[in-house]
Amino acid sequence: KVFSIMNFATINDFDTVWNIFEENKTWFPHVRKSHIRNRLSWGQVILQNNVVITQQQYKRRGKIGHDTDVITEKGDYIIHQIIAKNRDGSAAKVIKDYFDYVESDVWLTVREENHIACKFYDKIGMEKAGYINWSKGKMKGLVWKKTKK
């Protein structure tokens, strides 16, 4: 097994991380500065090659959301956001390194209408695993999974 090292961001990286979110406000209008500060202080932000991944490991088994058909296991990981500053293939490389780094299955949710993201998840070897809905069913989403072999 090739051991990958991920660069976990600290609160000192806030401005860099926040600027990448600001440049992608279209897809992340719900992300607030306090959210980023909290994730940084909890050690849940990776900043590598101008790619940001906010993520965490599940502490218990349970549904991935309120309106969903997907159940995750204790020890699995969820990616909350992945954003690249540049469209240069860096996101694919960093997320593949992340898959190598974690020792469990990785999940993420995305708006169904975000075809660019869905195509990306397919390209990097993730599989559709179910549905999730937000806003009382008005906002449709998909759940993607990368199974740890």
Side-chain angles (χ1 to χ4, degrees), residues 14-37:
F14 174 80
D15 289 339
T16 305
V17 170
W18 182 249
N19 286 338
I20 294 172
F21 272 97
E22 281 287 283
E23 291 166 10
N24 291 277
K25 242 343 182 200
T26 306
W27 294 110
F28 302 100
H30 57 288
V31 176
R32 307 279 177 262
K33 285 184 174 183
S34 58
H35 171 84
I36 299 303
R37 280 196 191 94

Side-chain angles (χ1 to χ4, degrees), residues 62-68 70 132:
K63 285 178 134 191
I64 201 165
H66 295 291
D67 182 359
T68 184
V70 174
I132 186 166

